[in-house]
Amino acid sequence: MKKTLFRTFLFTFLTFLTVFIAAAQDKTTPKPLSVGYSIGIHGITEETMTYAKSVGIDYIETSINGFIDKDRNFKYSDDEIIARVKKAKKIADDAGIKIWSIHMPFSKVIDISLTDEAERKKVVALHQKVLKFCAILQPEIILFHPSYYLGLNEREQRKTQMIKSARALNKSVRAIQSQMVMENMLGFDLMVGENRERPLMRTVEETVELMKRLPDNIYSAVDMNHIKYPEKLILALGKRLKSVHIADGTGKQENHFFPCSGKGQNNWVKILAALDEVGYNGPFLYESAVKDVKDYKECYLSLFNQFVAASNSKWNYTRATALTLTGKVKETKQSFHRLDTLDYPALPPAVKQLLTNAAGIAISFTTNSSAISAKWCVSDKKQLANMTPIANKGLDLYIKKDGKWQFAGVGRPSADCNEAVLVKNMDLTEKECLLYLPLYDEVGQVEIGVDKNATMEAAATPFKKRILIYGSSIVQGASASRPGLAYPARLSRETGLNFFNLGFSGSAKMEPAVADMVASIPADAYILDCVPNSSPEQIKARTANFVSVIRKHRPLAPIIVIPSIVREHGYFDQEVGKRVRSQNEAIAAEVKLLQQKGVKDLYFINPSHLLGQDHEGTVDGTHPNDIGFDRMLQQLQPEILTILKKHAI
């Protein structure tokens, strides 16, 4: 415990020293907020409060929800509740912790917007009784939910009922010398299923509308988990903002991720900037769980330092996860993994590892910035000898110009974590951008920077339909010079179709578990370019099963098979030359046999001299260079498009 306290003290001291020095240099540097967290009243003990105070916690939010059952009945007598509340108050006071807010009870039946007038009045009466207990805790804030989920076509009536309840309850709140706040609610989509609407205050517009209809002395609280881009709601509320719930999320679900967990999509620099702009001076109050409450203060100071640094920077950075990710066949827990390997336990270990590579994933966004920068982290794995550092671990930016995607700049990697200006000195028109991630490495957090006063928004997915390419290192991108030059990426940009990269370097061998994985992914068409890694024997043993598994799950999707390129060193190495010929003879025979057996919509593309005839199309005798990939596409693209067009793709 002593070591922990000393480390915490040292971390806090050094952080505040850094901020103090920065403030001395710049008088506009914002002051850090106090830190608090949400805890149930039964969790308020001498041990928890004493420790919380020792690690930098000054405020808590609590509730007495545990004293009330689902039918609005109190589980304990008034005397029992009063005794427990008084005890909690004394414990907090003795520890030097202020009770900032009380989160009022809510549920389907504890809803201040109920349309049944008699039931609504019962809910108001319940809250008024709860407020008498709250008075003992002397909170600054009493926090209410505006509603529970709504039925169909009753939103306007619910608004009227909520406002009626809020006006009545506000008098009771002010009578105990506290302030009433209304919390915004989760509202990604209006509907939840076919018969329910999301609660009131689900959007910036609806929250502002209702706050204008409420008395000026009723304020708002912003839950950072309930809305995408919470900074927009903070700025819209301005001085009406009185409290916050700190958690990370996506605006789609009740995630309540801890902000420093690496999960969620919130831009904390923008959130802190918005809080500073509106003059928020309440606590940075967490509603997200951690193993040790010391993490709350340490996380806030880390976020605050990032905000201070950004305030003195020319860049505004946005997490890539808050923008549009394209090239992913499915959502994954790790944003820049191609698939969650836990979903496919039977996959070969090498395939599982390669699924963590970001090949084919790109970030789609729009901006009017004159320059674009990026920060990104990769693994500490050694640079591959046959790949450029940019393709292996770097970034590749394309910007649409005159309706076509055009190369704009790269992020050159120099360490595990990097920062680079990708392009600068551009005009200030709106630009549609596509930033490709590394082909051959696992990627950590990615942030994209634009000019301080520029706009940046998630763009629509730039490609339509779904064509999955399963294959070898050549599909993954070896050895293009940049991530955007891998041939699935080029196919997408040049055709407007979404070609997904499921290339597995050296490990595309048509294993049954891989067949199941590929078939489980919905697609309009499947391209199999996996011959280079499969031995002639494996091709003969596995092709029929691979095709039949896909056909079983996707009966109408065309399946296109491509043979191996001719390996250049096979012209001298007779064993290599013989192996490639045997591979291609085997795959041609297997596809023909399946077609003869009645497998429909199965195609075999077999152009000659895919890499050209001057023997200059590879990096190492096996993997195409940019010239080789270009020659491949000149032959493959027309044939692929002809087949897809036949199927209205």
Side-chain angles (χ1 to χ4, degrees), residues 556-574:
L556 301 178
I559 301 171
I560 302 169
V561 182
I562 300 173
S564 175
I565 61 169
V566 175
R567 303 189 184 214
E568 287 294 334
H569 54 266
Y571 287 103
F572 294 98
D573 187 321
Q574 296 181 51

Side-chain angles (χ1 to χ4, degrees), residues 83-156:
R84 183 66 191 90
V85 171
K86 284 183 175 179
K87 181 179 179 182
K89 172 63 173 169
K90 184 177 187 306
I91 290 171
D93 286 347
D94 290 347
I97 287 181
K98 171 68 177 173
I99 296 175
W100 170 255
S101 54
I102 307 295
H103 198 307
M104 296 297 276
F106 71 97
S107 68
K108 185 177 182 179
V109 297
I110 308 177
D111 180 349
I112 64 174
S113 77
L114 291 175
T115 55
D116 184 297
E117 185 64 8
E119 291 300 306
R120 184 194 68 80
K121 287 181 177 179
K122 289 179 182 178
V123 173
V124 170
L126 171 74
H127 282 310
Q128 288 170 331
K129 181 174 181 178
V130 170
L131 286 170
K132 293 178 181 179
F133 301 130
C134 293
I136 299 168
L137 297 170
Q138 298 178 310
E140 293 281 338
I141 299 295
I142 303 292
L143 183 144
F144 292 82
H145 281 197
S147 77
Y148 197 70
Y149 291 94
L150 314 182
L152 293 177
N153 304 316
E154 60 180 24
R155 200 165 200 87
E156 291 307 314

Side-chain angles (χ1 to χ4, degrees), residues 7 34 75 101 118 168 181 296-297 353 382 416 522 572 589 599 607:
R7 286 197 299 267
S34 298
K75 300 177 183 178
S101 54
V181 301
Y296 288 133
K297 182 80 171 192
Q353 189 278 319
K382 187 178 179 181
D416 293 347
F572 294 98
V599 177

